[in-house]
Every structure is written in structure tokens, then in C-alpha cells.
Amino acid sequence: MKRKIVYPGLMLSENEKQAGTGTYVQDGKVYSLFYGVANDKNRVTVVPFSGKYIPSPRDYVIGYVIEVTSSNWIFDIGSPYDGLLHVSEYPKRVDSSMMRKEIGIGDCAILRIKDVNTSMKVELSMKDRGLRRLDEGRIIDVSTTKVPRIIGHNGSMVSMLKKESNCDIFIGQNGRIWLKGKDEDINRLTQAIEIIENKSHTSGLTNHISAFLRYEESDEIEEKEKPVPFTSSKKDYTEDACRKVDMLLSDEDES
């Protein structure tokens, strides 16, 4: 099967072992979970045209703490499903009384999706190299469907972005991107990422963006006047967040 547009419920394979992200298995067959583009390289996967991020094991994401319990941090990971980071998955030993000082409500961090069970309970980890709390820089949000284009083939686009912008970049698979550098460099890089989002199907886009970041003329790119860079702000979580926390913790108690 080559890449093709699919819709929810369309059968993609009769081999359940081929099921990948964006699919589900029923009666030993693999079906599409979304309206999007299917690919059968290694496994059958479906990339949705739009929609919220759906967590998958081994994904690297950026999350915000929305609650701290005696043994867990609860993270908003830009998905309908919040993530649970148990204290045992933190890089160092932390007493429950010190958890809020390590990562408090509103703080953000780079995390790995450790596991997602059938009821979409999302377990997180911070034990891999490079996973950490983010204390500086700026976080912007993009559509999760544009993440592969921003990374580029074999990382070509993101490598160029780092080089030409003089900024550090981390791209979460949940559509959150962390940028660190001088304010003027981050502003220019934010504009470049917006252009990639809007022109993701343009051939030769890497070269066009490279020229844009070097302030060179390009016939293929139209700059937006006075773009407004945006910085993620801490959210005001109320009853809905508490309800999700209660559900996650009840699941944990039952297990």
C-alpha cells in the first residue's frame, strides 16, 4: 500500500501485527482511526489532517504540570489525555514534600511517553538523557500534522533551522516546540516556522527558509508584516483539570 487518503473505519490490513499509530485493531484486522494519510512503511500508520495529539509510546513531548500529588505529577501534553509522571520516573530521588519545588504547577518539561494502555492512561518518564524541566526559552505551538515537515527528511529542516537561527530547538511530537536564543533570533525563527506550516507542501522549502533566516531575498516566500511571536502562558486549570486528575489517580489505585 502506497500513501493514500483514508477515513475512519477503513480497513488497512488483515495483519494485526502491522497496526501502528492512528489505527485500531478489531477482529484481527487493522482499521484507520482518522481521516488522513496512511502509510505502510514498516507498520501501517495514519497521520490525521487535523486534530489533537494522540499519545503513543516512545514519543517525546513537552508538557505543563497541572497538578502535583504525593507521588505523581500530572501533565497537560496537548492531548485529550493528560500524562502521569510517577516520582520513580524522575531522574533523581525526590521526597513527596519536595515534589512541588522540583516541578511546580505551571512548569514545563521535556518528557517521553513510557506507556499508553487501552483506556488511554498515559504514563510518562524523565529518565532518558536530555529530558528535563525547561527553565528558560520560549514555547510555541504548531499543528501536530506539521511536525514531520518541520523536522524534515533525516532531520534536514530542523538542522538548518538551528544553524541559521543560532537557536537551540526541541520539537515535541505533540506539536510544542521549545526555542532558546536571543529574542530577535527567536522572533525570526518563529516567523520561519509559521512559513513552514503555511507552505509545508512547497518543494525546495528548506532552501527558501534558509534564505529567509539569512535575510536574503526569495521570490517564493512572502514575509508577513509585523508577525507577533507568541509565548505559551500558564493555564488556569479548574474543575475540568481536577476531574481528569481524579480519574487518573483512581485508575492508578485500581491497578
Side-chain angles (χ1 to χ4, degrees):
M1 178 183 71
K2 297 181 180 179
R3 290 188 180 185
K4 66 177 184 179
I5 296 176
V6 297
Y7 52 85
L10 179 67
M11 190 183 77
L12 304 176
S13 173
E14 296 185 354
N15 182 0
E16 62 180 300
K17 293 182 179 180
Q18 287 189 306
T21 57
T23 69
Y24 67 93
V25 175
Q26 184 174 327
D27 298 328
K29 298 179 181 179
V30 181
Y31 296 85
S32 174
L33 192 60
F34 305 112
Y35 176 57
V37 178
N39 193 334
D40 67 350
K41 184 178 181 181
N42 298 323
R43 295 184 124 192
V44 178
T45 62
V46 177
V47 178
F49 287 130
S50 62
K52 286 280 190 177
Y53 165 69
I54 303 299
S56 182
R58 296 182 296 279
D59 279 0
Y60 289 90
V61 299
I62 295 175
Y64 292 94
V65 177
I66 60 173
E67 186 55 85
V68 183
T69 72
S70 60
S71 60
N72 299 277
W73 289 275
I74 311 298
F75 280 85
D76 168 6
I77 54 173
S79 166
Y81 314 100
D82 295 327
L84 188 71
L85 176 67
H86 191 267
V87 68
S88 63
E89 290 297 325
Y90 194 68
K92 64 180 182 180
R93 183 179 178 83
V94 180
D95 292 329
S96 60
S97 61
M98 300 297 292
M99 288 179 62
R100 288 178 181 267
K101 291 186 178 180
E102 286 293 324
I103 310 181
I105 293 177
D107 288 342
C108 57
I110 300 175
L111 313 117
R112 173 174 59 84
I113 306 292
K114 180 184 177 184
D115 188 45
V116 183
N117 68 14
T118 54
S119 62
M120 295 307 294
K121 178 182 177 181
V122 182
E123 296 182 16
L124 304 171
S125 177
M126 284 184 67
K127 284 195 167 182
D128 289 2
R129 182 178 180 181
L131 304 184
R132 63 194 185 280
R133 186 178 70 183
L134 297 174
D135 296 318
E136 53 187 337
R138 183 185 304 173
I139 296 174
I140 64 174
D141 293 278
V142 301
S143 169
T144 56
T145 61
K146 303 297 183 180
V147 167
R149 192 68 183 93
I150 297 171
I151 294 174
H153 182 63
N154 292 326
S156 59
M157 181 69 83
V158 68
S159 295
M160 181 276 297
L161 292 174
K162 291 178 181 179
K163 178 182 177 182
E164 300 295 349
S165 68
N166 297 313
C167 293
D168 291 330
I169 307 173
F170 177 84
I171 302 176
Q173 285 159 289
N174 59 338
R176 288 178 180 159
I177 302 177
W178 173 73
L179 311 173
K180 179 187 174 184
K182 296 180 179 178
D183 285 343
E184 58 268 29
D185 292 335
I186 292 179
N187 291 344
R188 189 71 172 179
L189 178 55
T190 299
Q191 296 175 52
I193 292 173
E194 290 175 349
I195 293 171
I196 296 171
E197 276 199 281
N198 295 330
K199 296 179 176 287
S200 59
H201 299 294
T202 303
S203 61
L205 185 59
T206 301
N207 291 333
H208 297 322
I209 296 298
S210 179
F212 174 81
L213 288 171
R214 293 196 303 267
Y215 293 85
E216 296 177 357
E217 293 294 330
S218 173
D219 294 334
E220 300 296 330
I221 294 180
E222 297 178 1
E223 297 185 33
K224 298 179 181 179
E225 294 184 1
K226 297 182 180 179
V228 180
F230 53 100
T231 304
S232 295
S233 58
K234 298 180 181 179
K235 298 182 180 179
D236 182 19
Y237 297 94
T238 52
E239 289 185 13
D240 187 58
C242 295
R243 179 180 57 80
K244 292 180 180 179
V245 169
D246 291 339
M247 290 176 63
L248 281 171
L249 294 178
S250 64
D251 285 346
E252 183 190 40
D253 292 339
E254 291 174 3
S255 61

